[in-house]
Amino acid sequence: MYELLVLSLLMKFPLHAYLISKISNDTIGPWEQVSRGTLSTLLNKLDKAGLIQEADPTTVPFPTERPSRTFEITNKGKDRFFELMMDTKKNIGNYQKIFRIKAIYLEFLSEEDQLYLVNHYIKYCQTAIEHIKMQQLEFDENPEQVTPIQGTSFYSTIGSLMRLNTEQWDLERQWATHLKEQMMSIKNDKRKDDSNDTRMGKR
């Protein structure tokens, strides 16, 4: 996830190392933070792999007097960025966090690839919802499994957690669906503009 985050940031413009750290932690925080040591190790690894390289500090759009190494992404790094963006099979258990990073940088993908990723995530959310509902059904249809613990809060707490998880995944699915609708609206607007330009050109 951290590799994708760093490469994504550098797709925008060169950045000082401390800015990469700050923006990364602002993105994934507040409970998860990338330590300076972890980031430094990752930057050195990406540099040695030829995915990023040191850059002219004056090319960073955020002027500063603070001394810091400056990095920019290479063509090889851009290829790796696209590879990571389109990967939907690795780290599937952590994909919710990963997709939220991807969603910020969809602009660098083709419309077709953007749509593929969003549709995949909508299905990912739906799969989670169906899994929880199946668990709920098993609980409801097999009361003998919980008879020994009736009279405690265990069963009711499990049920409330299932409902909470379902609602959270449904909100996530709604957000992804809205994201898709925005993409389709932008796509349709572009088609209208292209159509209008074509008609104007013929006149």
Side-chain angles (χ1 to χ4, degrees):
M1 182 174 73
Y2 296 155
E3 179 184 10
L4 172 63
L5 184 52
V6 169
L7 293 178
S8 297
L9 288 172
L10 295 178
M11 285 292 291
K12 290 277 190 181
F13 28 62
L15 285 172
H16 302 301
Y18 83 89
L19 280 176
I20 295 175
S21 176
K22 183 181 186 308
I23 298 172
S24 295
N25 286 327
D26 287 346
T27 301
I28 63 176
W31 311 123
E32 184 175 357
Q33 298 283 289
V34 187
S35 69
R36 290 184 179 179
T38 298
L39 180 63
S40 178
T41 299
L42 176 58
L43 291 174
N44 287 332
K45 179 182 176 181
L46 297 178
D47 189 9
K48 288 180 180 179
L51 303 181
I52 64 175
Q53 62 188 15
E54 294 209 30
D56 181 355
T58 62
T59 61
V60 179
F62 309 103
T64 179
E65 296 180 358
R66 178 176 178 175
S68 178
R69 295 175 71 189
T70 304
F71 292 96
E72 63 184 1
I73 195 167
T74 63
N75 289 332
K76 185 178 178 181
K78 291 178 181 179
D79 290 340
R80 178 60 175 162
F81 164 79
F82 290 120
E83 179 184 341
L84 291 172
M85 285 289 284
M86 297 310 298
D87 179 20
T88 57
K89 295 181 179 179
K90 295 178 183 176
N91 302 308
I92 197 70
N94 202 35
Y95 194 68
Q96 182 185 41
K97 289 183 179 179
I98 294 172
F99 181 78
R100 290 178 180 182
I101 294 173
K102 291 183 178 183
I104 302 173
Y105 301 98
L106 287 174
E107 64 182 281
F108 294 107
L109 302 180
S110 67
E111 291 178 350
E112 181 181 357
D113 286 343
Q114 290 181 33
L115 191 58
Y116 169 80
L117 285 179
V118 174
N119 279 334
H120 174 271
Y121 190 65
I122 292 172
K123 186 177 180 181
Y124 178 87
C125 295
Q126 184 61 41
T127 299
I129 293 170
E130 291 172 357
H131 173 73
I132 298 169
K133 287 184 175 180
M134 187 176 297
Q135 288 181 313
Q136 288 177 314
L137 187 62
E138 289 177 359
F139 264 64
D140 294 339
E141 291 185 347
N142 298 281
E144 68 280 0
Q145 294 182 1
V146 296
T147 300
I149 55 175
Q150 284 182 348
T152 71
S153 62
F154 180 81
Y155 181 68
S156 61
T157 302
I158 290 294
S160 65
L161 281 172
M162 286 182 174
R163 289 190 294 274
L164 174 62
N165 285 335
T166 301
E167 291 170 0
Q168 289 177 331
W169 278 113
D170 189 50
L171 284 173
E172 197 81 10
R173 180 181 60 179
Q174 290 179 42
W175 167 69
T177 300
H178 178 66
L179 190 61
K180 178 180 177 179
E181 291 171 351
Q182 285 183 314
M183 289 165 49
M184 297 305 296
S185 177
I186 293 172
K187 185 176 181 179
N188 290 333
D189 287 343
K190 285 183 179 179
R191 285 180 176 175
K192 289 179 182 178
D193 290 341
D194 290 344
S195 179
N196 289 335
D197 290 343
T198 301
R199 283 198 296 269
M200 291 294 292
K202 291 181 179 179
R203 293 179 182 176

